[in-house]
């Protein structure tokens, strides 16, 4: 007989693991991935692969040679970071920029703080915002979707729907004049528009989100409060002046809102832990998104909004503790 | 279906031995009866080396209020009173008796007949419980007479009987309810009298439908006793959770159940009280579940206190060859044994034998802040935070985050996908904070 | 002299005077009596008010350090060690030159001589392990090997020996701060006099169990046989609870007792090798 | 030597002395550096002017209100041999990415732009700073630009100026500054005399 | 203290930027290029040196209660001198450094050294210390400036080596923090603090 | 509207710490704990407002009339240094409670670039007195926001084990960098 093991209780463990959670997320990302391959063709596939592989490689190198700790690249989180990073860039982005972005995401956003679970900011968003500010030109030339193309260069580019509206309104045009210049809402909904790889198809993202909800990987609080507050906020503005402010539905299905609300804001590492905190977080993200979208210099505010709210998480966690058992005695 | 509201888990039940009737375990060759089997001060031996003792004879006296008498569980010669190895490998004082025969003390009524009426006054009942060394058999082994003496200024309203047996694997309470139902009812009546309450609720989890049905039937004949089926959820058997589930009251942080007018007793304790009061029988034996995936014959054994664990496992078919871990108690709260010589004590509810592959913890990663532990904690604490704070020795922050409220149920560790040793950390923190609090006083 | 010079000197000069005036008056009117040592300490500090110390300015630092009455945990980045020693002299904390001490580990229960009987899993700290069980070998006194002491040492003066599973003290680095002594839940580490030429003799065991019991778990345990006590002419060794202890104030490093010990529980370190005798196995406290 | 006590007289005197000496020293240095500083400023402006107008031998400065009635602009009329060869207008805009941008715009007497050079801006290095001549040749496109025929707006705004990639805001602002100078020039054309005389 | 030791301490063991984390505003604010960093470093070093000199000369004449105002006036004078001279003779650098020149006054490093060292040591040591700290500061600023220039504009001291715009982040605010963060880590690693 | 722009500009767009690089030393130094950083923000707000008013008066009623604006730095810092010392002495006597909460941070103010910086910026931006005060308060809020969030993150990083090489200042600086990165999102709001 072998040696008896001594350990503290409990002696059993639920059939759940980080890896299961992470691969669950990856599975839920598949529909959006397929849509992106369909609309943006081979380019999308290559970018996604590059991002994932370079995230894995950088994580491996840093864990092995800098931190000199255990190598845990297959826990799935680096893969998610890679996929989401790829989802956040245009499909014709030069690959070396994707590699730089992955390096920043993993090296600066995650490993600097010790790896999985310790990073205060969402790594993929750190990478994305870094690229956005460093390479504004490349990061804002959006290829138009051409189903199943294998073309890698010289694709037709054009502004995103949000940028069209924002630019137009900035010049003083009316929303009603601008609307014909953007794709139909149904196209926007299924993802037939220019934009980042993964953000275009609201329907695929919602599908993935439902899957995660069912598997209890995420809870409803953040996506619903995020999307809801964007809807309400833009709705009010639209009601006030529909000629300057476009309708809320447009806001919901364009830009990275769905991607952000379902996948990036819900990253458990960088979001609050209690339901109340999550709601605050979601509403904060929503309001900041709209403020940046409508009043700021950037046409798209989701990444910044989530990153800014990430900074609030420790304070939110401190302020919204769960109501303790036996704290408020209401006996009856 | 009633249950407590926040948190909780539902591990696979694996109650292999639930259909095994209670069997009497043959006497071992020697027993070693620890002098501290209960919460509170150790008992003081009243016999000497070489003395002959009878079954049921008092061998050590609990001298302070929170302490309990200890009786010999066998007949034989005291070979020594010395340190013996206990479950954790540390040495504790114990009385070691070489078993010779099984002659019971004359005062004990060894018959099987049900004795319903009890004409003792409530003080006498409590005294009897004290004399007979009854302690809580639900886990903490808290001296029962203390619980039955309601402090001045407090009033008990409910006597709650804990038949939840929410731990997986364990079935001793279940079998007891099925086989000693009538005695339980009498025991409850006696305790209601001692406490001066007229309401008693037996909480039983729904995965024991036969017990619920049987006790419901019996309860009809006893005034004030009701049976309440509960949803299957761990740690329903935790005192505070049970109170919340049965009467929807929350015991305030740091307070005792009596604060909300409740007293909780385990079914095993209740049976022991019946035997003590009606049959004059001290607490010298208890039902122990022996089970495990590879155990040949999972069973419920009536074992004498002091029987070595090895003897118990032997009775269930022996130790499987690939054993990696042996646990005394349930899989969630039990204690891993470092040897097989440790004796059964008043608080031992089960012996679990895990094969090697099931005895290792899952690989440990960083906390990913998934909040599963927060959502699972029945006391709505933040286990991840407490663990971190304790790890970084921020004990005052631990205290502010109510670490002392943790009931050590282990749900947090159970659900943590990263396999964090949350409860290990929290235990260290609790110990430190407890020390600080005691020094402050 | 042009008027710029005149105006400049006049305005700034009068501003300066005004400020001095106001400061003086305010200082007089709103005097608060405080521990004069705070001022003295503050005087020694750089006064950069950079906040580098983690306190709100030099004054606050001075107040806290006077309140605490110890230098432990205080550090002034711009001032450095010199300033701190000056502060120490103000507070009269100048640690009088003590005979130098060093930490020693009083357990030799390596994996080889005290083979593990169980596996341990979970939080890898001695503190937790101590609260959970007796230890891998079953010795309820011996080292648990989870390295709380190593972690507690701020001077990198300790490391875990992978082979024996016991902590090792790196003599040259140890400053005898005592952190490890506090960290060990089993009180295995002791500060002892460094001794002549760094030579020390001590009983490397703290097991108080009866000889036979102790021996069962660990081959090199002190079994309390008392042979060393008899051998020692200087009454440096006492036996209590089945355990011998050598008083470092009385021990003359005569090297008699180690030879006597039947279990080699007595260690001698930094001595030249004995001529005829065989070598002692494992000497834990060697660097 | 012992440290001075914090008595009233000591405090006031010390501070007075320190401040007075400091002020005195500073004012002396100020007197010395004043001239080079002003000369430096003057020279930089002259350099900017001579950059944006054809060769000249005499300058005349006047101020004119712009069309929108905000701060007046400085017009530097450049003459060669008594003949007006160009006008250097110091203009500005607040529409830059970081607000204020000022520039020197040179016109031929007929209103065609000779050249433009920035004076001051706080635009983002790497993006908006492409208006600087030493960073990018973007602003060379204004050479010979005739605002009466082409529109002083970036292409995105249906104008004839190529924008700066990813810094449309700056380009737009720069056009605004130039346009301000041009409009002011046009508005006050009647008051502008073409010769040095008078 | 040994003069060599003072110098080495100023540059390495107690490098004002990487180890003491003092005077960070100019460190972050002006280091968009190696040249700017170097200029700012020299300006600060000059002020540090001169104020250390003057403070150590007159330390005994200053009563305690007005010590800080007096010292800071002395420092401010040298800062203004730098400001005036730089504006007169290096107008481009002056423009680039902008607001941060007057802010040398409040650079904790300068006042800190005056108080901590100059007001307690002899003149020669004080000057050495000023020099050492100034050198350490200049070195750090130049290093950070170089890093940001290389990554942010693909050039070094104004000589560009690769076509393109560079990673803009490093020219902007975040790049300053990030660059300093990693430089600090590397510095600590090299001097063996980690 | 103008005031709203000043406020939003100072708090978010040109955040004094994250975009202007002023007051970095206390930002890094006093941000170990949330509670300390709250006290620090309060003190900054108090002194910044006061200093802005006083220096505004000096600039417009002494330096400008006498045409000696080159003495801005020296006169400002002289006044600020004395002011801070004065307020500290008074506060200690008048309200020990307030002193405990805010006063202990006062000595940090003299060497805080943010105070002098805002005073100079008020002049540079040609604000009037009221605008100057609003500007100062808004900047102080911006400072508070940045430092409190930062302290929250640092407390959290303290609990998890950051790799040895990045522990302390390096990790804190990278966090500040990412915060600055995030705050760039506010660009163009005003
Ligand atoms: C997490 C947890 C789970 C428990 N589960 C049970 C249980 O299933 N059955 C039980 O009788 N007691 C259980 N207990 C013990 C009860 O809280 C309580 O101590 C006991 O019912 C009191 O009765 P006693 O004094 O008769 O032992 C549990 C305690 C804790 C902390
Ligand atoms: C120090 C201590 C004092 C207690 N005092 C009382 C008491 O006075 N009355 C009572 O009814 N229970 C008392 N209890 C018992 C607890 O309420 C609880 O039933 C016991 O700890 C076992 O619960 P468990 O099995 O859930 O852990 C006390 C427990 C402890 C640890
Ligand atoms: C930090 C930062 C600095 C910027 N600086 C400028 C700038 O100086 N000038 C400018 O026109 N745009 C600048 N932008 C970009 C604008 O916000 C906006 O994205 C751009 O002007 C859109 O122009 P486009 O239509 O040419 O792509 C900056 C953006 C960021 C994030
Ligand atoms: C629901 C969910 C969402 C996630 N979202 C992100 C994300 O937006 N960006 C990212 O880098 N990693 C994401 N991850 C992976 C992982 O949590 C992340 O890399 C950690 O922040 C690394 O410490 C996500 C994981 C889960 C379970
Ligand atoms: S062990 Fe404690 S902290 Fe963990 S779930 Fe149970 S009560 Fe909560
Ligand atoms: S369950 Fe585990 S991983 Fe999740 S928050 Fe709690 S400790 Fe962290
Ligand atoms: S903790 Fe202190 S006493 Fe122990 S080894 Fe390290 S330096 Fe020596
Ligand atoms: S000496 Fe003590 S603290 Fe160190 S490893 Fe052994 S038991 Fe742990
Ligand atoms: S240099 Fe700005 S606060 Fe220290």
């Amino acid at each position: 007989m072998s040696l008896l093991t001594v350990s503290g209780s409990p002696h059993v463990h639920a059939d759940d693991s980080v890896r299961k959670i992470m691969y669950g997320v990856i599975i839920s990302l598949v529909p959006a991935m397929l849509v992106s391959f369909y609309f943006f063709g081979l380019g999308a596939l290559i970018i996604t692969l590059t991002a994932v592989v370079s995230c894995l490689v950088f994580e491996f190198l840093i864990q092995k040679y800098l931190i000199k700790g255990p190598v845990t690249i297959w826990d799935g989180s680096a893969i998610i970071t890679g996929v989401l990073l790829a989802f956040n860039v245009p499909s014709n982005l030069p690959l070396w920029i994707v590699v730089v972005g992955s390096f920043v995401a993993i090296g600066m956003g995650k490993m600097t703080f010790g790896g999985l679970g310790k990073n205060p900011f969402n790594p993929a968003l750190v990478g994305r915002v870094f690229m956005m500010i460093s390479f504004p030109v490349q990061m804002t030339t959006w290829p138009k979707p051409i189903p199943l193309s294998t073309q890698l260069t010289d694709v037709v580019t054009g502004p995103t729907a949000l940028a069209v509206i924002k630019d137009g309104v900035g010049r003083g045009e009316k929303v009603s004049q601008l609307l014909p210049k953007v794709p139909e809402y149904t196209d926007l909904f299924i993802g037939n528009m220019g934009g980042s790889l993964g953000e275009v198809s609201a329907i695929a993202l919602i599908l993935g989100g439902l899957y995660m909800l069912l598997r209890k990987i995420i809870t409803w609080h953040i996506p619903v409060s995020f999307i809801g507050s964007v809807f309400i906020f833009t709705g009010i503005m639209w009601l006030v002046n529909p000629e300057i402010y476009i309708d809320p539905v447009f806001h919901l299905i364009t830009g990275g809102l769905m991607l952000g609300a379902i996948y990036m804001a819900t990253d458990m590492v960088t979001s609050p832990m209690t339901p109340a905190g999550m709601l605050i977080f979601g509403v904060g993200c929503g309001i900041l998104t709209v403020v940046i979208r409508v009043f700021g210099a950037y046409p798209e505010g989701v990444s910044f909004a989530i990153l800014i709210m990430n900074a609030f998480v420790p304070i939110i966690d401190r302020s919204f503790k769960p109501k303790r058992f036996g704290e408020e005695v209401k006996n009856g | 279906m009633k249950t407590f509201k926040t948190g909780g888990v539902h591990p696979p039940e694996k109650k292999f031995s639930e259909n095994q009737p209670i069997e009497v375990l043959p006497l071992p060759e020697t027993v070693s009866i620890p002098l501290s089997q209960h919460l509170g001060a150790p008992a003081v031996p009243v016999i000497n080396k070489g003395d002959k003792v009878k079954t049921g004879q008092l061998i050590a006296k609990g001298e302070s209020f929170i302490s309990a008498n200890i009786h010999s569980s066998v007949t034989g010669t005291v070979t020594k009173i010395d340190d013996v190895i206990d479950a954790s490998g540390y040495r504790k004082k114990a009385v070691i008796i070489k078993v010779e025969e099984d002659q019971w003390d004359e005062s004990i009524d060894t018959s099987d007949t049900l004795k319903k009426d009890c004409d003792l006054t409530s003080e006498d009942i409590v005294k009897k419980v004290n004399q007979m060394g009854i302690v809580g058999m639900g886990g903490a082994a808290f001296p029962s007479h203390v619980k039955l003496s309601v402090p001045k200024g407090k009033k008990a309203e409910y006597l709650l009987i804990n038949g939840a047996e929410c731990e997986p694997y364990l079935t001793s309470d279940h079998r007891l309810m099925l086989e000693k139902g009538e005695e339980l009812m009498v025991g409850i009546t006696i305790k209601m009298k001692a406490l001066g309450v007229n309401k008693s609720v037996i909480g039983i989890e729904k995965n024991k439908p036969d017990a619920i049905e049987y006790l419901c039937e019996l309860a009809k004949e006893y005034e004030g006793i009701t049976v309440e089926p509960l949803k299957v959820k761990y740690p329903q058997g935790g005192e505070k959770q049970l109170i919340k589930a049965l009467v929807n009251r929350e015991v305030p942080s740091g307070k005792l159940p009596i604060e909300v007018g409740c007293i909780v007793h385990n079914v095993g304790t209740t049976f022991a009280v019946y035997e003590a009061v009606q049959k004059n029988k001290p607490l010298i034996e208890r039902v122990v579940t022996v089970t495990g995936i590879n155990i040949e014959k999972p069973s419920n054994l009536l074992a004498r206190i002091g029987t070595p664990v090895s003897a118990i496992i032997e009775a269930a078919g022996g130790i499987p060859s690939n054993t990696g871990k042996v646990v005394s108690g349930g899989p969630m709260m039990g204690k891993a044994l470092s040897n097989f010589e440790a004796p059964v004590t008043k608080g031992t509810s089960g012996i679990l034998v895990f094969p090697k592959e099931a005895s290792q913890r899952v690989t440990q990663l960083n906390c990913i802040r998934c909040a599963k532990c927060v959502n699972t904690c029945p006391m709505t604490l933040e286990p991840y935070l407490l663990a971190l704070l304790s790890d970084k020795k921020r004990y005052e922050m631990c205290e502010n985050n109510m670490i002392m409220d943790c009931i050590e149920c282990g749900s947090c560790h159970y659900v943590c996908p990263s396999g964090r040793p949350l409860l290990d950390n929290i235990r260290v923190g609790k110990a430190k904070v407890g020390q600080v609090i005691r020094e402050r006083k | 002299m042009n008027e710029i010079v005149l105006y400049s000197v006049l305005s700034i000069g009068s501003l300066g005077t005004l400020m001095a005036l106001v400061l003086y008056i305010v200082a007089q009117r709103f005097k608060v009596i405080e521990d004069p040592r705070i001022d003295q300490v503050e005087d020694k500090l750089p006064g950069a008010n950079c906040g580098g110390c983690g306190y709100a300015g030099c004054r606050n630092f001075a107040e806290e350090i006077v309140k605490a009455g110890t230098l432990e945990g205080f550090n002034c980045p711009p001032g450095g060690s010199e300033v701190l020693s000056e502060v120490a002299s103000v507070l009269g904390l100048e640690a009088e030159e003590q005979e130098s001490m060093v930490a020693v580990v009083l357990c030799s229960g390596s994996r080889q001589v005290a083979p593990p009987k169980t596996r341990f899993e979970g939080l890898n700290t001695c503190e937790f392990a101590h609260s959970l069980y007796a230890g891998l070998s079953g010795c309820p006194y011996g080292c648990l090997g989870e390295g709380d002491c190593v972690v507690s040492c701020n001077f990198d003066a300790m490391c875990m020996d992978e082979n024996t599973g016991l902590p090792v003290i790196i003599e040259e680095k140890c400053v005898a701060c005592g952190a490890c002594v506090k960290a060990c839940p089993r009180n295995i580490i002791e500060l002892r006099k460094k001794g002549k030429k760094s030579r020390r003799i001590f009983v490397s065991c703290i097991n108080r169990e009866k000889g036979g019991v102790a021996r069962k778990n660990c081959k090199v345990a002190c079994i309390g046989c008392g042979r060393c006590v008899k051998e020692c002419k200087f009454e440096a060794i006492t036996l209590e609870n089945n355990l011998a202890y050598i008083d470092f104030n009385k021990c003359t490093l005569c090297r008699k007792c180690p030879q006597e010990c039947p279990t080699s529980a007595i260690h001698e370190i930094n001595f030249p090798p004995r001529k005829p005798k065989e070598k002692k196995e494992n000497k834990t406290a060697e660097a | 030597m012992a440290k001075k006590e914090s008595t009233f007289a000591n405090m006031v005197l010390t501070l007075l002395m320190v401040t007075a000496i400091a002020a005195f020293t500073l004012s002396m240095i100020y007197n010395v550096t004043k001239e080079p500083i002003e000369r430096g400023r003057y020279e930089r402006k002259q350099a900017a002017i001579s950059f944006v107008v054809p060769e000249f031998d005499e300058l005349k400065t006047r101020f004119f209100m712009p069309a929108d009635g905000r701060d007046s602009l400085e017009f530097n009329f450049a003459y060669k041999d008594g003949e007006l060869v160009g006008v250097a207008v110091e203009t500005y805009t607040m529409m830059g990415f970081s607000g204020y941008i000022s520039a020197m715009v040179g016109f031929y007497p007929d209103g065609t732009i000779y050249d433009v050079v920035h004076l001051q801006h706080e635009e983002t290095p790497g993006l908006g700073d492409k208006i600087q001549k030493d960073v990018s040749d973007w602003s060379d496109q204004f050479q010979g630009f005739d605002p009466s025929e082409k529109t002083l707006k970036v292409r995105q705004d249906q104008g004839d100026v190529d924008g700066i990639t990813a810094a449309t805001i700056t380009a737009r602002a720069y056009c605004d500054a130039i346009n301000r100078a041009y409009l002011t020039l046009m508005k006050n054309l009647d008051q502008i005399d073409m010769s040095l005389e008078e | 203290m040994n003069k060599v030791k003072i110098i080495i301490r100023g540059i390495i063991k107690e490098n004002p930027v990487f180890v003491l984390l003092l005077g960070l505003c100019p460190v972050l604010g002006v280091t968009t290029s190696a040249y700017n960093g170097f200029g700012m470093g020299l300006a600060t070093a000059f002020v540090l040196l001169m104020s250390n000199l003057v403070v150590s000369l007159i330390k005994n004449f200053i009563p305690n209660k007005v010590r800080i105002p007096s010292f800071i006036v002395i420092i401010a004078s040298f800062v203004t001198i730098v400001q005036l001279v730089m504006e007169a003779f290096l107008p481009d650098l002056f423009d680039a450094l902008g607001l941060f020149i007057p802010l040398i006054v409040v650079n904790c490093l300068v006042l800190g050294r005056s108080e901590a060292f100059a007001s307690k040591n002899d003149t020669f040591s004080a000057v050495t210390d000023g020099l050492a700290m100034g050198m350490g500061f200049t070195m750090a600023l130049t290093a950070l400036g170089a890093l940001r220039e290389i990554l942010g504009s693909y050039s070094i001291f104004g000589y560009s080596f690769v076509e393109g715009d560079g990673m803009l982040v490093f020219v902007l605010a975040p790049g300053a923090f990030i660059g300093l963060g990693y430089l600090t880590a590397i510095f600590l690693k090299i001097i063996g603090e980690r | 509207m103008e005031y709203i722009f000043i406020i939003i500009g100072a708090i978010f767009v040109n955040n004094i710490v994250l975009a202007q690089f002023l007051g970095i030393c206390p930002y890094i130094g006093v941000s170990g704990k949330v509670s300390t950083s709250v006290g620090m923000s309060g003190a900054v707000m108090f002194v910044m407002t006061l200093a802005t008013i006083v220096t505004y008066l000096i600039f417009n009623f002494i330096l400008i009339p006498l045409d000696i604006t080159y003495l801005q730095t020296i006169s400002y810092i002289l006044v600020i240094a004395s002011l801070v010392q004065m307020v500290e002495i008074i506060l200690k006597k008048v309200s020990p409670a307030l002193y405990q909460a805010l006063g202990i941070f006062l000595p940090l103010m003299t060497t805080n670039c943010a105070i002098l910086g805002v005073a100079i910026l008020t002049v540079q931006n040609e604000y009037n007195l009221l605008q100057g005060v609003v500007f100062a308060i808004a900047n102080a809020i911006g400072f508070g926001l940045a430092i409190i969030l930062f302290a929250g993150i640092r407390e959290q990083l303290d609990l998890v084990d950051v790799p040895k090489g990045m522990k302390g200042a390096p990790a804190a600086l990278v966090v500040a960098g990412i915060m600055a990165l995030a705050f760039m999102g506010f660009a163009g709001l005003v």
Side-chain angles (χ1 to χ4, degrees), chain A residues 21-22 25 77 80-81 84 110 115-119 122-124 212 217-218 263-264 266-269:
Chain A
I21 294 177
M22 294 299 169
V25 177
S77 68
I80 299 181
T81 304
L84 288 177
K110 186 171 171 192
L116 179 64
K118 299 183 175 175
N119 47 311
N122 189 321
M212 289 202 292
I217 295 173
I218 59 173
Y263 286 100
M264 323 275 286
T266 50
D267 176 12
M268 41 198 57
V269 175

Side-chain angles (χ1 to χ4, degrees), chain B residues 136-139 147 162 164-167 173 234-235 237-239 264-266 269 333 407 409:
Chain B
M137 293 163 82
K147 272 202 205 177
N162 192 341
E165 195 148 64
C166 55
E167 287 258 19
D173 287 353
Y234 177 85
E239 202 166 51
V264 182
H265 262 194
N266 170 254
T269 319
M333 294 197 67
I407 58 170
C409 67

Side-chain angles (χ1 to χ4, degrees), chain E residues 23-26 106-108, chain F residues 23-26 111-113:
Chain E
L24 292 184
C25 304
V106 276
N107 189 320
C108 341
Chain F
I24 305 292
C25 302
T111 48
N112 184 342
C113 300

Side-chain angles (χ1 to χ4, degrees), chain A residues 52-325:
Chain A
V52 171
V53 171
S54 45
C55 279
L56 286 173
V57 169
F58 287 130
E59 180 151 313
F60 172 80
L61 293 178
I62 295 174
Q63 283 182 335
K64 177 116 192 192
Y65 296 106
L66 284 179
I67 298 183
K68 303 202 176 81
V71 173
T72 57
I73 55 173
W74 296 115
D75 64 16
S77 68
I79 301 177
I80 299 181
T81 304
V83 173
L84 288 177
L85 192 72
F87 273 21
N88 267 300
V89 300
S91 63
N92 61 342
L93 193 67
L95 290 185
W96 69 272
I97 295 187
V98 179
V99 175
V100 170
S102 311
F103 178 70
V104 171
I106 294 294
M108 187 168 105
K110 186 171 171 192
M111 285 312 172
T112 292
F113 306 101
L116 179 64
K118 299 183 175 175
N119 47 311
F121 297 95
N122 189 321
L125 284 179
V126 171
R128 138 111 193 189
V129 167
F130 184 96
M131 289 193 278
M132 183 80 192
I133 292 176
S134 286
F135 313 105
V137 182
Q138 294 91 329
M139 284 292 289
T140 46
T141 24
W142 311 101
K144 293 223 161 83
I146 305 163
L148 293 178
S149 87
T150 50
Q151 213 171 350
L152 289 179
T153 47
D154 298 330
V155 282
V156 193
T157 61
T160 61
L162 262 178
V164 169
I165 301 290
K166 175 145 185 162
D167 240 34
V169 171
R171 277 197 304 273
E173 287 175 46
K174 298 218 158 71
V175 167
S176 46
Q177 293 169 307
L178 292 166
L179 267 182
K181 294 191 196 163
V182 298
E184 293 284 319
Y185 277 23
T186 41
D187 277 341
L188 292 179
F189 195 61
I190 61 167
N192 191 4
M193 61 173 159
S196 297
L197 286 189
E199 73 183 18
V200 291
S201 173
I203 176 87
L205 292 168
I206 292 174
L207 217 63
L210 287 178
Y211 174 79
M212 289 202 292
L213 267 179
L214 276 180
R215 284 212 28 199
K216 297 210 169 70
I217 295 173
I218 59 173
T219 58
W220 59 269
H221 302 82
I222 291 176
V224 168
S225 59
F226 192 164
I227 296 171
S229 58
V230 169
F231 186 83
I232 293 172
F233 197 8
T234 53
I236 292 172
M237 291 199 292
W238 178 63
L239 290 178
V240 171
N241 190 346
E243 281 304 330
I244 307 182
Y245 304 117
I246 194 157
D247 61 304
V249 176
F250 181 83
H251 273 286
L252 293 198
I253 55 181
T254 55
L257 182 68
M258 286 297 166
L259 181 65
I262 295 172
Y263 286 100
M264 323 275 286
T266 50
D267 176 12
M268 41 198 57
V269 175
T270 54
S271 60
M273 315 255 292
T274 58
M278 288 178 183
L279 292 177
I280 300 284
F281 179 83
V283 172
C285 286
I287 291 177
L288 286 176
T289 300
V290 179
V291 166
I292 294 173
R293 269 188 185 181
V294 177
F295 304 109
Y298 290 96
E300 168 58 331
V302 173
S303 319
F304 289 104
I306 298 175
L307 220 45
I308 292 166
M309 287 313 290
N310 282 345
F312 278 85
V313 166
I315 300 289
I316 294 179
D317 269 344
R318 288 168 70 98
S319 321
F320 296 89
K321 299 255 171 199
K323 185 197 148 293
R324 311 285 191 202
F325 184 95

Side-chain angles (χ1 to χ4, degrees), chain B residues 259-276:
Chain B
E259 199 72 21
V260 292
C262 296
I263 299 286
V264 182
H265 262 194
N266 170 254
V267 289
T269 319
T270 311
F271 179 65
V273 167
Y274 161 81
E275 289 200 314

Side-chain angles (χ1 to χ4, degrees), chain B residues 208-222:
Chain B
K208 297 177 261 297
D210 43 357
I212 297 174
E213 199 180 326
Y214 175 54
L215 291 189
C216 266
E217 203 55 45
L218 288 178
K220 284 180 190 144
E221 289 168 32
Y222 294 85

